[in-house]
Amino acid sequence: MRYGDFDTTIPILGKAKIPSPIQRGEKGALSRSFVNDSDRIIIDVKLDDLIKLAEKGKDFPSFELAGPRRKIYFDPSKLRCALVTCGGLCPGLNDIIRAIVLELFYGYGVKNILGFKYGLQGFIPQYGHDVMELHPENVGNILEKGGSILGSSRGPQSIDEVVDTLEKMNVGILFMIGGDGTLMAATKIADAVIAMGLKISVIGIPKTIDNDIYLVSRSFGFETAVDVATQAIQGAHNEAEAYPDGIGLIKLMGRYSGFIAATAALAQQEVNFVLIPEVDFDLEGPQGLFVALENRLNLRGHAVIVVAEGAGQKYFESRDVDFDESGNIRLKDIGVFLKNKIESYFMSKNMEVSIKYIDPSYTIRSLPANANDRAFCSFLGRDAVHAGMAGKTKLLVGRWNNHFIHLPMSASAGKRKQVNPKGKLWLSVLGATGQGALK
């Protein structure tokens, strides 16, 4: 990736003139916490790259640092904010909601906060979904709950109708929590708002359990997913060890990126084969998975395979392609496919194997976040509020080089982060499993 190829400028609704109310208590106690727009985080930290830029007289590409500003754009006493969660469930959704509501209410004194139910459907009158008033009393104890108290939905909705609802309900800041499809919708909403001359801030909080949002080094829910996935691996390993020629097969999330499968395999190093979308593999042939698996069983008497849901889709190319409500290709079930193919292979060899197949995907998605993700969500939610109150718009709050930053939606939406087959993560997986190229 060439870091100088995108604009990191963050749009603003207008000049921020109102002194921030978050400095309270002992005089000056919080003054050091304020951030200036000139505070920047360098994107590329490689010294050689920076030297080359300096020699050419170019600025170092950088992101705007997230955090509270001394002056804000919106008057908290007159402001109405809205929250919506979209797409698939993910650990941490309720944590984000709680952090946003508490920072708005206690930090800035915003009392009018609305939660739109069931994703973007909540803005469309024909669905008739209720709007939920959010305040500290009804979000205070939601951390232990999985899912989202606002619910969710998939699929596109009319941008014009969404903006019309925002205008009619006098919403000043819209917080959209979701993945790539949501961020693309947020971009269109922000563009429509700007085109109409409305003073509405649109702030995105990137959500994907797969950790595959472009230019976002870590997304919330990912650590929880890895944590629970390791338990599934441990269970599969115990099952495989308990039977002659036992095979534990675990399918994990990862439509286009294998971060969960690869990271979980490193965290619970009892995995012998990891299959991810970014790395092609063969089933047949002397270097394929079946022969490698047979060799492993002959050597140790058991094996564990982790496969990401988007891996091996080439084996379904002859079948019809259909799409889900969000416009994504419906993936064929590589887990069940592999289970059946492995059974057939060893049957042809007159070799009896015992396969235990585990798919914990929806269990993981609906769980509450673990401790690390909860803390992470708190930072994301509060920094989203700071950005919105300062009148910034069309941005995501993300993490880069150990800092929380403002990332323009245009730099990330519609793109995807993937495991680098030559990078440290995948090479570490190959070292831990010893699986080879499987080609």
Side-chain angles (χ1 to χ4, degrees), residues 258-288:
F259 288 105
I260 293 178
T263 308
L266 289 179
Q268 190 73 33
Q269 295 197 12
E270 294 164 335
V271 181
N272 309 113
F273 304 96
V274 180
L275 311 175
I276 62 173
E278 298 90 334
V279 180
D280 189 23
F281 63 92
D282 292 334
L283 297 178
E284 311 284 350
Q287 305 298 323

Side-chain angles (χ1 to χ4, degrees), residues 126-291:
Q126 74 179 61
Y127 291 102
H129 298 318
D130 293 333
V131 177
M132 183 177 182
E133 293 187 5
L134 298 174
H135 43 78
E137 288 74 20
N138 63 3
V139 303
N141 298 315
I142 63 176
L143 298 186
E144 296 297 334
K145 297 179 180 179
S148 166
I149 62 167
L150 298 179
S152 189
S153 66
R154 294 185 182 274
Q157 302 296 338
S158 168
I159 300 300
D160 290 341
E161 288 191 69
V162 172
V163 174
D164 186 54
T165 298
L166 292 172
E167 184 180 16
K168 285 179 179 177
M169 298 190 71
N170 197 30
V171 171
I173 306 176
L174 171 62
F175 297 97
M176 296 187 65
I177 310 163
D180 183 62
T182 304
L183 300 180
M184 287 193 287
T187 302
K188 294 177 182 177
I189 292 170
D191 286 340
V193 163
I194 293 170
M196 295 174 65
L198 302 175
K199 299 299 185 179
I200 301 175
S201 169
V202 181
I203 306 294
I205 299 92
K207 174 228 72 178
T208 168
I209 204 168
D210 295 346
N211 198 36
D212 63 353
I213 294 181
Y214 189 67
L215 291 174
V216 173
S217 62
R218 172 188 164 192
S219 55
F220 72 87
F222 175 70
E223 282 205 6
T224 304
V226 171
D227 204 10
V228 180
T230 59
Q231 298 175 32
I233 291 171
Q234 186 175 27
H237 179 257
N238 292 341
E239 286 283 351
E241 265 194 326
Y243 297 88
D245 291 324
I247 300 171
L249 174 60
I250 311 102
K251 185 181 78 171
L252 297 175
M253 293 79 67
R255 290 182 59 87
Y256 303 104
S257 304
F259 288 105
I260 293 178
T263 308
L266 289 179
Q268 190 73 33
Q269 295 197 12
E270 294 164 335
V271 181
N272 309 113
F273 304 96
V274 180
L275 311 175
I276 62 173
E278 298 90 334
V279 180
D280 189 23
F281 63 92
D282 292 334
L283 297 178
E284 311 284 350
Q287 305 298 323
L289 174 66
F290 293 157
V291 170

Side-chain angles (χ1 to χ4, degrees), residues 388-425:
M389 292 301 299
K392 298 178 183 298
T393 189
K394 204 175 175 183
L395 67 82
L396 315 178
V397 177
R399 184 83 165 161
W400 192 268
N401 287 337
N402 210 32
H403 291 82
F404 289 90
I405 53 94
H406 295 157
L407 172 66
M409 287 183 184
S410 58
S412 180
K415 302 167 188 174
R416 183 170 288 108
K417 179 177 70 176
Q418 291 189 300
V419 174
N420 180 0
K422 297 181 180 179
K424 187 168 187 176
L425 175 60

